[in-house]
Amino acid sequence: MTVQTVVHLNFRGDAREALEFYAGVAGSEATIVTYEDLGAVGDPAEAKQVMWGQIAAPGGFHVMAFDVPAARAFDRGTESFFVSVRGQTPEEVTALWEGLVPGAEVRQPLGPAPWSPLYGMLTDRFGVTWVMDVATPY
């Protein structure tokens, strides 16, 4: 059996914009299914919001996301999660970093770290914190 763990990001009304942004960063396309598409509209104002969406780029970049309906509690929280992206080469990590950095708060500039030849952390314009590094054997 093969099991894959995928980060699922929760938003309140901006999941489509975030997914399209991440798809551009990864050189892929977003798959987006709305509440209306699935006949699950609880609030007509939310019909076009994302009930399920994902980016599954050929290189392995994979995230899922949805818009939490107004009828459900939602708190983005503080430091409740990081999305960790580990690449095999500095070039692929740098390319993703450069795509995410516009409008982001850089928390740790991309550079060498004791455990990796390249590591960085940023919080993007959607409030998602990305930890990025080049995978190395321990």
Side-chain angles (χ1 to χ4, degrees), residues 1-2 8-9 26 31 37 39 42 56 58 71 89 98 110 117-120 131 136-137:
M1 175 169 72
T2 300
H8 191 286
L9 305 173
T31 300
D37 292 337
T89 68
E98 289 174 354
L110 194 61
L118 201 59
Y119 164 81
V131 178
T136 58

Side-chain angles (χ1 to χ4, degrees), residues 15-130:
R16 177 184 302 276
E17 181 183 357
L19 284 163
E20 289 171 351
F21 174 71
Y22 299 143
V25 168
S28 187
E29 292 189 28
T31 300
I32 296 173
V33 179
T34 67
Y35 287 94
E36 182 177 61
D37 292 337
L38 295 179
V41 177
D43 177 346
E46 298 173 338
K48 301 287 185 193
Q49 289 186 358
V50 178
M51 185 169 181
W52 179 84
Q54 76 169 351
I55 308 304
F61 184 94
H62 193 178
V63 295
M64 295 171 62
F66 94 119
D67 285 309
V68 178
R72 288 179 49 183
F74 175 70
D75 179 4
R76 192 177 305 272
T78 303
E79 302 290 327
S80 57
F81 69 91
F82 296 148
V83 179
S84 178
V85 176
R86 306 197 85 197
Q88 297 301 308
T89 68
E91 294 78 17
E92 65 188 353
V93 170
T94 299
L96 290 170
W97 177 271
E98 289 174 354
L100 289 168
V101 81
E105 173 195 350
V106 175
R107 299 177 64 181
Q108 175 65 44
L110 194 61
W115 63 90
S116 175
L118 201 59
Y119 164 81
M121 178 189 287
L122 61 81
T123 301
D124 72 20
R125 66 186 188 181
F126 299 102
V128 176
T129 299
W130 298 81

